[in-house]
């Protein structure tokens, strides 16, 4: 239906002259204005209330934010603190585990039952040569070099006498796991005939013996710790005769073949003399220089925490003014440059210098906590075993040493009894590198190293009661046999 006007209601204006309608309108307007003002007032009040509420919310939010920040900081602090505690606990646990391992190894050696056979033949043991060496008779060695090797010869005799007199030695070859040839090799070089006749005859007797020909891989044919004075003409043997030792074992001061491989693998140029022994002997067992570990001229102090804490000097190192070979002079004289003074060391007092009178040297050495072992003419140093005997923790600066002389490696690692500083770090900062190395040791670390030092003492000091040299020696030989695929049962069990 179409939309018409009758369907729409429009506002009707009042007729002219109608004042009642105007008055009514005015009254309504006044009333409306009043209500509008009241509404505005209320709205303003609401706005203020809302603004106040917003401010309160902002303050609350700020406080919540601050609380959350503090909460997260607290959590983070707790995590970091817990992480530090865990790290410290791991270090302690590792030290405890290491000490437990050393205790286990000590117990294993103390209960060892490995039997061995030592040839009982004076044409091999050469008692007259041994007597000359121990009585300090005049030497027949004509060389101007190498006279210090004589000390190693005396140490080898002490080793042989320990093996000969130990209850684990069997007189029945069938009960033995391995065989020891008791030739005093280095002593014979220094106190035997100049043509090495005694040595040549002794080795010839072994090479022609039925036991060696049947079991060459079970034989320790020589204990010779005289550095490069080894084999061939030193023993009175030809190259052809030396080759007959193929497959046998030898005990040396160092493992030249191993350190040579380490040099080539790392592209290094250390002037370490190699020799042909690695091509002949199936296994070289490196046990360090024979003499100083059991040299009674040097004090013996059991490596205990009580004894170590009583020592006065933190570091001990004294050297000669003359230069050393193999680029080692820079290492040995690092403390004596114009800019490097031992008095700058944080750990004091120390005894570092040159030319100390012997009696003062001896007393100070015996009263030192850390004894420096620095590379010299070769990677090894007699100072290492002296420091062990003295109960002084060795502080080693010689990168090749663990490869050159892996001392009783099946029983202990260098980290068990010594601190090692890289040569480059030492040369860059002799003072800081020493202080940092010592400051990094926790009480648990020190205890671990003293436990390792104590075990090594019992191994190298054959002149002390409770020595474990024979047991540790036997372990090294048997493990070397295993590495070469040789059965380690007694000979009688495999016949």
């Amino acid at each position: 239906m179409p939309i018409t006007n009758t369907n729409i209601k429009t506002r009707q204006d009042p007729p002219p002259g109608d004042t009642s309608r105007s008055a009514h309108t005015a009254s309504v307007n006044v009333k409306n204005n009043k209500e509008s003002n009241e509404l505005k007032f209320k709205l303003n009040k609401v706005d203020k209330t809302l603004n106040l509420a917003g401010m309160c919310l902002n303050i609350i939010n700020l406080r919540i934010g601050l609380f959350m920040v503090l909460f997260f900081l607290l959590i983070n602090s707790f995590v970091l603190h817990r992480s530090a505690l865990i790290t410290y606990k791991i270090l302690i646990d590792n030290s405890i585990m290491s000490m437990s391992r050393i205790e286990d190894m000590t117990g294993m050696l103390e209960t060892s039952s490995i039997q061995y056979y030592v040839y009982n033949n004076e044409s091999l043991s050469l008692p007259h040569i041994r007597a000359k060496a121990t009585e300090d008779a005049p030497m027949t060695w004509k060389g101007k070099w190498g006279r210090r090797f004589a000390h190693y010869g005396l140490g080898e005799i002490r080793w042989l006498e320990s093996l000969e007199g130990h209850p684990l030695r069997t007189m029945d070859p069938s009960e033995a796991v391995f065989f020891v040839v008791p030739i005093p090799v280095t002593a014979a070089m220094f106190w035997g005939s100049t043509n090495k006749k005694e040595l040549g005859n002794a080795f010839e007797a072994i090479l022609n013996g039925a036991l060696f020909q049947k079991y060459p891989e079970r034989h320790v044919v020589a204990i010779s710790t005289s550095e490069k004075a080894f084999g061939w003409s030193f023993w009175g043997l030809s190259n052809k005769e030396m080759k007959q030792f193929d497959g046998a074992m030898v005990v040396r001061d160092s493992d030249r073949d191993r350190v040579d491989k380490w040099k080539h693998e790392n592209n290094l140029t250390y002037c370490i003399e190699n020799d042909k022994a690695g091509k002949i002997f199936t296994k070289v067992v490196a046990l360090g220089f024979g003499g100083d570990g059991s040299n009674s001229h040097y004090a013996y102090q059991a490596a205990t925490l009580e004894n170590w804490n009583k020592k006065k000097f933190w570091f001990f190192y004294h050297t000669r003014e003359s230069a050393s070979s193999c680029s080692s002079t820079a290492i040995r004289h690092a403390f004596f440059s114009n800019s490097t003074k031992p008095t700058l060391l944080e750990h004091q007092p120390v005894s570092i210098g040159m030319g100390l009178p012997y009696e003062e040297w001896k007393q100070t050495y015996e009263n030192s906590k850390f004894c420096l072992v620095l590379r010299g003419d070769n990677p090894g140093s007699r100072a290492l075993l002296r420091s062990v005997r003295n109960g002084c923790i060795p502080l080693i600066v010689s990168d090749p040493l663990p490869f050159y002389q892996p001392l009783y490696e099946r029983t202990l690692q260098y980290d068990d009894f010594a601190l090692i500083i890289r040569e480059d770090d030492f040369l860059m900062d002799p003072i800081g590198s020493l202080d940092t190395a010592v400051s990094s040791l926790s009480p648990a670390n020190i205890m671990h190293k003293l436990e390792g030092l104590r075990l090594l003492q019992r191994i190298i000091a054959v002149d002390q009661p409770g020595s474990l040299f024979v047991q540790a020696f036997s372990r090294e030989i048997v493990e070397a046999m295993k590495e070469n695929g040789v059965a380690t049962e007694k000979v009688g069990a495999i016949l």
Side-chain angles (χ1 to χ4, degrees), residues 11-134:
R11 185 174 72 85
Q12 299 291 322
D13 292 332
D18 190 349
T19 56
S20 63
R21 183 72 176 269
S22 298
H24 174 75
T25 300
S27 174
V28 169
N29 288 338
V30 170
K31 183 178 180 181
N32 288 341
N33 289 336
K34 184 178 180 181
E35 289 176 353
S36 176
N37 290 335
E38 289 178 355
L39 180 60
K40 288 180 180 180
F41 175 78
K42 289 179 180 180
L43 288 174
N44 287 336
K45 192 172 183 181
V46 169
D47 285 341
K48 291 180 180 179
T49 303
L50 289 174
N51 288 337
L52 182 62
M55 292 175 62
C56 290
L57 285 174
N58 287 337
I59 293 172
I60 292 171
N61 287 336
L62 180 62
R63 289 184 176 181
I64 290 174
L66 289 173
F67 174 78
M68 293 301 293
V69 169
L70 291 173
F71 177 75
F72 283 116
L73 286 174
L74 182 63
I75 291 296
N76 190 49
S77 175
F78 174 76
V79 170
L80 290 174
H81 181 64
R82 180 175 173 78
S83 177
L85 287 175
I86 290 172
T87 302
Y88 187 66
K89 183 178 184 298
I90 289 172
L91 291 173
I92 293 175
D93 288 346
N94 287 341
S95 295
I96 291 172
M97 288 175 64
S98 298
M99 287 196 296
S100 176
R101 178 176 57 80
I102 290 172
E103 290 174 358
D104 291 344
M105 188 58 67
T106 302
M108 182 186 299
L109 294 179
E110 289 175 339
T111 57
S112 175
S113 60
I114 300 172
Q115 289 186 286
Y116 55 89
Y117 177 81
V118 181
Y119 283 83
N120 188 23
N121 188 329
E122 289 190 357
S123 66
L124 301 178
S125 60
L126 304 178
H128 65 291
I129 298 291
R130 296 189 188 191
K132 288 181 181 181
T134 55

Side-chain angles (χ1 to χ4, degrees), residues 376-424:
D377 296 341
N378 66 49
S381 173
R382 295 165 64 186
L384 174 60
L385 296 182
R386 282 203 303 264
S387 66
V388 174
R389 182 176 176 85
N390 183 45
C392 181
I393 296 176
L395 203 161
I396 297 169
V397 183
S398 176
D399 292 350
L401 184 57
F403 307 93
Y404 182 79
Q405 283 185 346
L407 292 173
Y408 300 92
E409 61 179 328
R410 284 92 178 175
T411 299
L412 289 166
Q413 299 298 309
Y414 271 88
D415 190 54
D416 289 325
F417 60 86
L419 274 174
I420 298 179
I421 297 176
R422 292 178 64 252
E423 291 180 12
D424 287 346

Side-chain angles (χ1 to χ4, degrees), residues 14-277:
D18 190 349
T19 56
S20 63
R21 183 72 176 269
S22 298
H24 174 75
T25 300
S27 174
V28 169
N29 288 338
V30 170
K31 183 178 180 181
N32 288 341
N33 289 336
K34 184 178 180 181
E35 289 176 353
S36 176
N37 290 335
E38 289 178 355
L39 180 60
K40 288 180 180 180
F41 175 78
K42 289 179 180 180
L43 288 174
N44 287 336
K45 192 172 183 181
V46 169
D47 285 341
K48 291 180 180 179
T49 303
L50 289 174
N51 288 337
L52 182 62
M55 292 175 62
C56 290
L57 285 174
N58 287 337
I59 293 172
I60 292 171
N61 287 336
L62 180 62
R63 289 184 176 181
I64 290 174
L66 289 173
F67 174 78
M68 293 301 293
V69 169
L70 291 173
F71 177 75
F72 283 116
L73 286 174
L74 182 63
I75 291 296
N76 190 49
S77 175
F78 174 76
V79 170
L80 290 174
H81 181 64
R82 180 175 173 78
S83 177
L85 287 175
I86 290 172
T87 302
Y88 187 66
K89 183 178 184 298
I90 289 172
L91 291 173
I92 293 175
D93 288 346
N94 287 341
S95 295
I96 291 172
M97 288 175 64
S98 298
M99 287 196 296
S100 176
R101 178 176 57 80
I102 290 172
E103 290 174 358
D104 291 344
M105 188 58 67
T106 302
M108 182 186 299
L109 294 179
E110 289 175 339
T111 57
S112 175
S113 60
I114 300 172
Q115 289 186 286
Y116 55 89
Y117 177 81
V118 181
Y119 283 83
N120 188 23
N121 188 329
E122 289 190 357
S123 66
L124 301 178
S125 60
L126 304 178
H128 65 291
I129 298 291
R130 296 189 188 191
K132 288 181 181 181
T134 55
E135 293 166 7
D136 198 20
M139 297 181 191
T140 56
W141 176 269
K142 298 303 181 182
K144 294 181 180 180
W145 62 276
R147 297 185 72 83
R148 71 175 184 273
F149 301 163
H151 293 286
Y152 308 154
L154 291 170
E156 292 166 17
I157 291 173
R158 289 190 285 268
W159 281 354
L160 290 171
E161 290 176 345
S162 295
L163 289 163
E164 290 165 344
H166 200 277
L168 289 173
R169 177 191 182 185
T170 177
M171 304 305 290
D172 182 355
S174 68
E175 295 180 346
V177 176
F178 63 92
F179 309 103
V180 177
V181 177
I183 302 172
V185 177
T186 303
M189 290 194 299
F190 281 85
W191 285 277
S193 61
T194 55
N195 62 4
K196 309 297 186 295
K197 181 179 179 180
E198 296 95 344
L199 272 176
N201 290 342
F203 281 120
E204 186 178 353
I206 287 295
L207 291 171
N208 294 330
L211 199 57
F212 176 79
Q213 291 181 357
K214 190 171 185 179
Y215 304 110
E217 74 284 353
R218 290 176 175 267
H219 273 71
V220 181
V221 295
I223 295 176
S224 179
T225 63
S226 51
E227 300 185 27
K228 61 184 179 181
F230 178 88
W232 288 269
S233 61
F234 293 108
W235 294 0
L237 298 175
S238 66
N239 194 51
K240 181 179 178 180
E241 289 168 325
M242 281 296 295
K243 287 181 179 179
Q244 294 181 62
F245 287 124
D246 183 28
M249 293 177 288
V250 65
V251 170
R252 295 195 67 179
D253 56 277
S254 57
D255 190 338
R256 305 297 180 92
D257 191 51
R258 180 186 296 197
V259 76
D260 193 53
K261 290 177 181 176
W262 172 76
K263 280 170 48 182
H264 289 296
E265 288 171 359
N266 294 277
N267 196 27
L268 300 172
T269 57
Y270 285 96
C271 57
I272 302 168
E273 294 181 1
N274 198 3
D275 54 30
K276 298 176 286 186

